[in-house]
Amino acid sequence: MRNVWIIMQREIRAYFSSMIAYGVTAFFLVTCGIFFYLTLLISANYRQPASLQPVFHNTVVTLLLIAPAITMRLISEERRSGSIELLMTSPVTETQVVLGKYLGSLVLYAAMLGLTLQYPIILSRLGVSDRGPMISGYLGMFLIGATLLAVGLVASVLTKNQILAAIGGFTATLILFIIGWASNMGSTSTLSEVLRYLSIQDHFEQFTKGLISSRDVIFFLSMIGFCLFLSVRSLTAVKSR
Amino acid sequence: MSSRIHHTEVSQRGRLGIALGWVSLALLLVGLLIYAGNSIVDRWTWAILGVGVALGIAYLALRKDAVVALIVHPSTGARANNTAFVIGVLGVLALCNYISYRHYRQTDLTKNQMYTLSPQTKEVVKGLKDDITITAFYPKSGQAAADGDRARDLLRQYRDISPKIKYDVIDPLRDKAKAEQKIQQSGYRLTSYPIMWVECGTKKEDVYQPSEQDLTSALMKVTRTTKKKIYFLYGHGEHDIDDAQQQDGLGLLKTLLTDRLNYDVSKLILRTVGDVPSDATLVVAAGPADGLPAEDQKKLNAYLEKGGKLLLLIDPRTPAPEELLKPWGVEVGNDVVVDPRIKNDCVAVVQGFEPHVITKNLQVAYFRFARSVTAATSAPSGVVTAPLAKTPAFSWAQTRLAGPYQKKPGDKDGPISLAVAVSKEINGAGPDSKEPKKSMRMVVIGDSDFATNGELPADDSHGRYFLLNSINWLTEEDALVNIPPKDPDSGDQISLLDNQARWIFIITILVIPLGVLLSGVALWWRRR
């Protein structure tokens, strides 16, 4: 675990000493802020209940871009520069490398998400008292972000080129988003039920409503676990070459 | 399909084989895509797949040596092991997810326990004495799939409370045989879906929305032996319950009472009868614009004194029925109530109802052109009067019924009461009497328009629930009162002043993101 901790700290330092993390975070906050501001205006002007649900739904779409941007350099940069050989010859396992790098990206994402806690504070000051959906919504945001970061990490392991890693990560996350639509196209087969279960948005929807269900949590944890497992296997294959 | 393994020059034959291999892959992919799009395999799809397979066989024949070399190569074994391991892990995860999909626990964090059954529903379901069979027809894909999931969740919760409930969810598209078997067994026709059939013995109720309130209402309807009777007064200028077309009719309300709440609803012309009929569970006077004659008020009082129930919806300009209301400690003002937030109109806004069993969980309702209804300062003996709905402090009541609706000196300041509930125990034969105790109940609301076809709001409105809850309380259907409106769109409303909106914009979109960016710039500058 010590190696994981050291690698994680190294990644966090790398993120916060580069302009990219600040730029991505600022972009994330601006887009979330716009969604939040518009949500408040619509709620106030059209006498609709105010909640963070529309903000969560819209913010998740920005993660399509944000997650690959965070993860694209994780492994691919090291492969390109050759420092991956140095890392692999040191007494760390592939699992420790993957976990450490993943946790580093997760800390950055958590910090970005933390900066959006201003929204529930503002809502509470405006008189919104139903905090349950806010809490479950943030849990859902954390889990879905963690899942997309894990998917992006797999893409980063598979290529030396950061751009390809970003494109691959973006494509994979996009497929996960739209997979649920395929199940609604009138097909009634078992395949469409499976596709519907794989729809990341369907699982996320429950959190935004105020529900924390064990099957949604297990889904996200399974996705994260499988992606990290794939990353470890891929990195092992890279090492053996 | 490449020559990577041997790194040798490929012959012309080999190159042809490679080309055929790629074409074979492309054709197989196209064939699968066509099948995925059409869901059937027609002869053209078969032809494409057949040609793809044939070309694949041709590839294998032309590149036999390369393929064999690939298979026996040491790294192929390792790759195969790796692949098998990955598939194994995927299989385990899929199994875990399948089990968690079938058996799961859920926590509802919403303020109104939106996705948890109410105590009232639990009481109704626990009290079931007869077996109930519920058949839900919901497709598992398409637009109704989400409703189907909701129906399954609901039915599972009901079944968990009482073993008397048995249910089945059938996909009428996928499980045609099962759907037809059920239809034949039941003898009913499936005219449309999605739908739930709630059956008890020979009685059946249809439920179209997978909501707790509709399902519990259906359970009560199929298990109840008699229907309660509601009489709507007619002949004094009231809204017509048989009118479902005009804006000021009450046809929609009648439909709700008969179809959803299983009441028997009729008109009553008091002048033609000596007394209020003995089978009346409730009498409703919905906007008697001409006022109630003294004789009719006496009949209503006599009915109330015997433990009757009355709902009086009385608009401004209607002469106040003093003889009817005074014995029960209720006063109606000769005024209209105005909320300054609604410009150029006379609308009273109730924002937070008074605590009462009728108004629990209700939040906001609008009453256009309403008058004040208050409890008298000294209530008659034994009468319990409770306010139900009051407007905010910045509202007022004015006697200028025709407007303008602007506050002037002399107007009564808010909060203004718009509705009261009255009850009184009616003395029976004595404490040892075996007759059940009776109580009179009355609800008086200073508006009738909110109950009409034009203004009775949509399914999810709290004004509608206020009306229906009042009726259920009056008819002593306490189990139906306060099945909270489980409306996903209900919630806290906000009002935003201009400067508040500006500050929120500045902080959330400018200050904080810019602060983050400047932190990055500062760090970069320092590292230079």
Side-chain angles (χ1 to χ4, degrees):
Chain A
M1 272 312 290
R2 191 167 165 271
N3 288 337
V4 172
W5 179 253
I6 291 169
I7 294 171
M8 183 186 86
Q9 282 186 311
R10 180 174 156 244
E11 282 309 311
I12 292 169
R13 263 198 301 274
Y15 275 126
F16 287 102
S17 59
S18 115
M19 273 300 297
I20 293 177
Y22 296 94
V24 166
T25 304
F27 169 75
F28 179 71
L29 289 173
V30 166
T31 48
C32 291
I34 291 171
F35 294 141
F36 177 66
Y37 178 69
L38 290 175
T39 300
L40 284 187
L41 284 185
I42 291 169
S43 299
N45 291 341
Y46 294 97
R47 286 192 237 150
Q48 286 179 6
S51 78
L52 286 179
Q53 202 173 2
V55 181
F56 289 139
H57 284 143
N58 289 315
T59 303
V60 150
V61 177
T62 67
L63 290 181
L64 278 175
L65 295 172
I66 302 274
I70 293 174
T71 57
M72 66 185 187
R73 56 159 284 284
L74 276 179
I75 304 280
S76 60
E77 171 64 17
E78 303 233 24
R79 286 186 65 187
R80 187 195 63 79
S81 67
S83 58
I84 191 74
E85 277 87 11
L86 197 63
L87 187 61
M88 291 287 100
T89 52
S90 59
V92 291
T93 63
E94 293 84 17
T95 306
Q96 288 167 340
V97 169
V98 164
L99 272 180
K101 286 185 173 288
Y102 175 69
L103 288 174
S105 66
L106 201 58
V107 165
L108 172 61
Y109 175 65
M112 287 164 57
L113 209 56
L115 286 169
T116 66
L117 287 175
Q118 51 179 304
Y119 308 145
I121 292 171
I122 291 172
L123 272 186
S124 297
R125 293 295 295 268
L126 289 173
V128 174
S129 58
D130 197 1
R131 294 194 180 91
M134 295 187 211
I135 295 170
S136 61
Y138 267 95
L139 176 62
M141 282 292 299
F142 182 76
L143 286 172
I144 200 173
T147 303
L148 298 181
L149 289 175
V151 170
L153 179 60
V154 176
S156 183
V157 172
L158 292 176
T159 175
K160 290 182 188 177
N161 187 312
Q162 285 191 50
I163 305 299
L164 280 180
I167 293 171
F170 172 77
T171 307
T173 53
L174 187 63
I175 289 172
L176 282 175
F177 267 87
I178 67 175
I179 208 167
W181 301 349
S183 71
N184 289 331
M185 286 182 177
S187 168
T188 59
S189 64
T190 308
L191 178 65
S192 74
E193 282 183 59
V194 171
L195 289 177
R196 213 166 136 248
Y197 183 78
L198 289 175
S199 167
I200 210 167
Q201 277 196 308
D202 276 11
H203 291 281
F204 176 65
E205 173 80 18
Q206 305 305 309
F207 288 98
T208 65
K209 288 196 280 194
L211 288 169
I212 299 179
S213 169
S214 59
R215 66 180 169 189
D216 298 320
V217 174
I218 286 172
F219 170 79
F220 283 119
L221 293 178
S222 303
M223 292 287 291
I224 292 167
F226 184 66
C227 289
L228 293 180
F229 166 75
L230 273 185
S231 301
V232 169
R233 299 302 290 185
S234 302
L235 196 57
T236 307
V238 166
K239 184 181 175 184
S240 65
R241 275 185 238 139
Chain B
M1 276 177 285
S2 71
S3 58
R4 224 171 26 165
I5 296 294
H6 288 298
H7 302 286
T8 57
E9 212 169 288
V10 180
S11 65
Q12 206 168 358
R13 211 174 122 92
R15 275 192 231 115
L16 175 64
I18 291 166
L20 289 178
W22 283 114
V23 173
S24 159
L25 252 188
L27 286 174
L28 289 172
L29 198 60
V30 166
L32 284 172
L33 281 172
I34 293 172
Y35 168 65
N38 291 339
S39 295
I40 56 163
V41 186
D42 61 6
R43 61 176 179 200
W44 289 110
T45 315
W46 277 123
I48 291 168
L49 289 170
V51 170
V53 169
L55 290 180
I57 294 170
Y59 162 78
L60 288 171
L62 290 170
R63 296 282 295 158
K64 187 176 67 178
D65 293 337
V67 171
V68 167
L70 178 66
I71 291 169
V72 303
H73 195 278
S75 67
T76 305
R79 285 200 195 112
N81 282 340
N82 200 28
T83 308
F85 189 28
V86 169
I87 291 172
V89 167
L90 196 58
V92 167
L93 287 175
L95 185 64
C96 290
N97 275 267
Y98 178 73
I99 293 169
S100 85
Y101 178 75
R102 297 290 298 267
H103 307 282
Y104 67 95
R105 283 288 172 263
Q106 191 167 274
T107 302
D108 184 352
L109 295 184
T110 56
K111 190 168 67 169
N112 294 335
Q113 292 294 285
M114 194 79 66
Y115 306 100
T116 306
L117 293 181
S118 65
Q120 292 77 16
T121 289
K122 287 178 184 169
E123 209 179 295
V124 168
V125 176
K126 275 183 197 160
L128 290 173
K129 293 184 174 46
D130 303 314
D131 288 336
I132 307 286
T133 305
I134 304 176
T135 311
F137 294 93
Y138 280 89
K140 282 184 185 165
S141 61
Q143 302 279 349
D147 278 350
D149 285 344
R150 175 85 185 120
R152 275 186 206 89
D153 285 344
L154 257 185
L155 291 170
R156 188 179 54 80
Q157 289 177 66
Y158 278 68
R159 197 259 330 264
D160 286 347
I161 298 170
S162 169
K164 292 281 181 189
I165 291 190
K166 290 167 187 39
Y167 74 90
D168 200 0
V169 183
I170 300 175
D171 183 339
L173 295 173
R174 186 182 166 191
D175 301 325
K176 282 197 175 98
K178 195 173 176 188
E180 275 165 20
Q181 187 186 24
K182 175 64 195 175
I183 290 164
Q184 272 183 355
Q185 274 174 359
S186 63
Y188 303 121
R189 285 180 59 217
L190 182 65
T191 50
S192 68
Y193 55 83
I195 193 171
M196 279 193 271
W197 290 350
V198 179
E199 298 172 78
C200 177
T202 55
K203 286 190 187 174
K204 169 182 160 287
E205 284 295 323
D206 293 341
V207 176
Y208 296 96
Q209 294 291 331
S211 75
E212 181 189 341
Q213 192 159 35
D214 284 1
L215 196 48
T216 301
S217 292
L219 283 176
M220 294 185 67
K221 278 150 89 168
V222 295
T223 53
R224 189 180 298 175
T225 48
T226 53
K227 282 189 182 185
K228 294 190 176 180
K229 186 97 180 181
I230 300 179
Y231 283 102
F232 277 73
L233 294 186
Y234 197 63
H236 314 104
E238 290 93 345
H239 301 287
D240 187 354
I241 56 160
D242 292 324
D243 183 355
Q245 304 300 323
Q246 301 296 326
Q247 294 283 300
D248 65 349
L250 290 183
L252 176 58
L253 177 61
K254 183 183 177 183
T255 304
L256 285 174
L257 293 175
T258 53
D259 294 356
R260 185 182 276 194
L261 299 176
N262 203 37
Y263 290 111
D264 189 3
V265 173
S266 300
K267 277 181 181 167
L268 174 65
I269 302 175
L270 268 181
R271 271 183 101 172
T272 62
V273 296
D275 295 305
V276 172
S278 55
D279 64 348
T281 308
L282 170 66
V283 173
V284 178
D290 303 332
L292 293 170
E295 199 180 312
D296 289 353
Q297 292 186 48
K298 272 197 189 116
K299 289 176 186 172
L300 289 172
N301 260 329
Y303 165 67
L304 288 172
E305 279 160 10
K306 283 189 269 184
K309 316 290 192 288
L310 175 68
L311 173 63
L312 175 60
L313 307 177
I314 184 158
D315 296 302
R317 296 201 179 104
T318 303
E322 301 277 352
E323 275 190 51
L324 171 64
L325 299 179
K326 199 170 173 188
W328 308 106
V330 178
E331 291 173 353
V332 294
N334 184 24
D335 51 23
V336 285
V337 182
V338 184
D339 189 301
R341 292 174 294 181
I342 313 289
K343 307 278 183 234
N344 303 320
D345 204 353
C346 180
V347 177
V349 181
V350 173
Q351 196 171 327
F353 286 77
E354 299 302 299
H356 192 274
V357 68
I358 289 174
T359 57
K360 198 176 168 194
N361 295 317
L362 299 183
Q363 292 174 345
V364 180
Y366 305 89
F367 301 91
R368 195 170 62 80
F369 206 64
R371 73 199 293 174
S372 63
V373 177
T374 47
T377 36
S378 57
S381 166
V383 173
V384 176
T385 316
L388 295 176
K390 286 186 180 175
T391 57
F394 48 75
S395 65
W396 69 87
Q398 63 181 57
T399 53
R400 300 175 301 287
L401 303 186
Y405 304 114
Q406 287 157 8
K407 194 161 192 310
K408 290 195 170 141
D411 291 340
K412 186 180 173 194
D413 289 324
I416 307 291
S417 170
L418 296 182
V420 297
V422 181
S423 61
K424 181 183 175 184
E425 294 285 333
I426 303 297
N427 292 332
D432 299 326
S433 168
K434 285 183 184 160
E435 282 189 25
K437 278 193 182 168
K438 287 185 190 174
S439 64
M440 64 71 65
R441 289 184 178 182
M442 179 166 66
V443 169
V444 183
I445 303 174
D447 180 36
S448 70
D449 299 322
F450 80 107
T452 58
N453 298 334
E455 294 192 34
L456 188 67
D459 262 337
D460 51 358
S461 161
H462 287 201
R464 180 184 178 123
Y465 284 113
F466 177 52
L467 178 63
L468 296 179
N469 278 356
S470 297
I471 291 173
N472 287 327
W473 177 74
L474 285 164
T475 58
E476 294 175 330
E477 289 284 4
D478 293 335
L480 284 178
V481 178
N482 286 321
I483 292 179
K486 294 286 179 73
D487 163 29
D489 293 329
S490 72
D492 297 315
Q493 294 185 353
I494 59 169
S495 54
L496 210 54
L497 299 171
D498 286 345
N499 67 325
Q500 283 177 320
R502 269 197 300 275
W503 271 111
I504 290 170
F505 179 90
I506 289 168
I507 291 171
T508 61
I509 298 174
L510 294 179
V511 168
I512 293 180
L514 205 57
V516 167
L517 209 54
L518 287 175
S519 307
V521 169
L523 186 76
W524 168 79
W525 186 263
R526 216 153 40 112
R527 286 166 70 87
R528 272 185 76 217

